[in-house]
Amino acid sequence: FFLGVWHNFVLGVASFMVLFLLPAILFPFYYTGVGALVTEVAEDSPANGPRGLFVGDLVTNLQDCPVYNVEDWNSCLGDISEKSQVGYCVSAATLQQLSFPARVYRRLDGTVECCSNSSLTDICFSYSSKLDSHLYACLPARKVIEASKVCRTNMDCHKDFVPSFCVTPSLENQTRLIRVKHPPHIDMLYVGHPMHLQYTVSLSSFVPRQNFLSIDLPVVIETFCKYLISLSGALAVINAVPCFALDGQWILNSFLEATLSSLIVEKHNRELVGFLILLAGSALLAANVALGLWMVTAR
């Protein structure tokens, strides 16, 4: 009676071990810990374009957050999404040289815009001085960011004894300016919601040692193992549930016969106990299936 459950359990455990040891198994052909390798960029992805990401690019940093694998990529995007937008140190002379007069107006969400909507290279930055805490300047994003270090306040920019300001992109709520490093290419500057970048770019932690090796093979193995773990684990649990017409029904009957024969002498009483347990198990399984279908259709 336990044979099906046992085989599903063993298959799930074996798949988990392969998934856990995959870096060691593929070590002669792939190496890890150097970044996240881009395997696919969706056509409608905001990262798609001449200055965006391409298949085969190795992402090493998101802002000042280092990326060594796919887990780091997801973690960094999560941190960027939850925390406030970081700023960039710009000297007073550079700020005066790059900025130009612009009309300042407020968006519907209360944030401030000071650049023309038609501009594809300039972004509105906010900063503060000793005299005014709400100053705005329309600046060329790439020139401001590429030669600057990340900051949170003006105090972070005073280490070189040069008058500097921490300028922060003035963007809509939940929108972030993210600097993506993928050497040797020029950094990608992404403006949008971090989750859009996460959902439309597929990556792998495995980098092939030779050019003829497929970048998709480790992803296929990982996905296959995850499906085996999910399906075999689910089958093992479901079949073990004391429910009518499943292995759990016969397992329960055998268990009750082996343990309750001395306590409940009458066989029909033991069968009644088994029936009540099977009824409860069947109701629980049916409720879980109904809840799962409702959650899927409710979306």
Side-chain angles (χ1 to χ4, degrees):
F1 296 145
F2 261 112
L3 191 60
V5 176
W6 168 255
H7 277 77
N8 287 132
F9 176 76
V10 170
L11 184 59
V13 171
S15 301
F16 177 80
M17 293 300 297
V18 171
L19 185 64
F20 181 76
L21 297 174
L22 194 58
I25 296 173
L26 296 180
F27 181 77
F29 311 101
Y30 298 85
Y31 57 91
T32 58
V34 294
L37 184 69
V38 178
T39 59
E40 183 182 2
V41 180
E43 291 185 4
D44 59 345
S45 172
N48 200 354
R51 292 289 181 91
L53 297 175
F54 295 91
V55 174
D57 287 353
L58 190 65
V59 178
T60 58
N61 283 84
L62 291 174
Q63 299 288 43
D64 57 341
C65 182
V67 175
Y68 299 108
N69 48 48
V70 177
E71 289 73 20
D72 290 341
W73 164 273
N74 295 327
S75 176
C76 290
L77 284 177
D79 290 342
I80 291 172
S81 179
E82 294 174 1
K83 296 178 181 178
S84 59
Q85 173 71 56
V86 297
Y88 303 90
C89 292
V90 178
S91 65
T94 304
L95 184 63
Q96 185 177 6
Q97 178 185 359
L98 295 178
S99 64
F100 53 88
R103 180 185 176 186
V104 176
Y105 62 91
R106 292 192 176 273
R107 303 186 184 95
L108 294 177
D109 61 357
T111 57
V112 174
E113 177 61 84
C114 60
C115 290
S116 171
N117 290 334
S118 61
S119 176
L120 299 177
T121 59
D122 301 331
I123 290 180
C124 182
F125 288 85
S126 65
Y127 64 100
S128 61
S129 65
K130 294 181 180 179
L131 301 177
D132 196 338
S133 60
H134 297 287
L135 297 173
Y136 300 91
C138 186
L139 304 171
R142 191 166 293 277
K143 289 184 179 180
V144 169
I145 293 174
E146 285 188 340
S148 306
K149 66 176 183 179
V150 173
C151 60
R152 293 286 180 180
T153 64
N154 287 339
M155 295 299 297
D156 298 333
C157 304
H158 290 168
K159 297 180 180 180
D160 298 329
F161 302 101
V162 177
S164 301
F165 298 98
C166 183
V167 298
T168 304
S170 179
L171 303 170
E172 296 176 283
N173 290 335
Q174 305 302 321
T175 302
R176 298 288 185 270
L177 170 61
I178 304 175
R179 180 182 182 181
V180 183
K181 292 187 177 182
H182 53 127
H185 306 289
I186 190 171
D187 295 350
M188 181 185 78
L189 301 183
Y190 167 78
V191 178
H193 198 288
M195 293 300 103
H196 294 166
L197 190 62
Q198 184 177 21
Y199 293 146
T200 59
V201 178
S202 301
L203 304 105
S204 171
S205 301
F206 296 85
V207 182
R209 296 183 181 274
Q210 303 294 334
N211 293 332
F212 64 86
L213 293 172
S214 171
I215 63 175
D216 294 322
L217 179 60
V219 178
V220 171
I221 297 176
E222 281 183 321
T223 306
F224 182 70
C225 289
K226 289 177 181 178
Y227 272 110
L228 275 181
I229 294 170
S230 299
L231 295 175
S232 293
L235 285 174
V237 171
I238 290 175
N239 274 325
V241 172
C243 177
F244 293 108
L246 295 181
D247 290 343
Q249 177 182 359
W250 315 113
I251 294 172
L252 176 66
N253 291 337
S254 299
F255 179 76
L256 293 180
E257 286 295 325
T259 57
L260 296 184
S261 297
S262 58
L263 297 176
I264 304 176
V265 180
E266 297 293 335
K267 185 176 181 179
H268 70 273
N269 290 335
R270 294 196 300 272
E271 291 177 349
L272 178 61
V273 172
F275 175 79
L276 294 176
I277 295 176
L278 288 173
L279 192 63
S282 301
L284 180 63
L285 182 61
N288 275 273
V289 172
L291 180 62
L293 291 174
W294 177 81
M295 292 182 65
V296 171
T297 56
R299 295 179 181 179

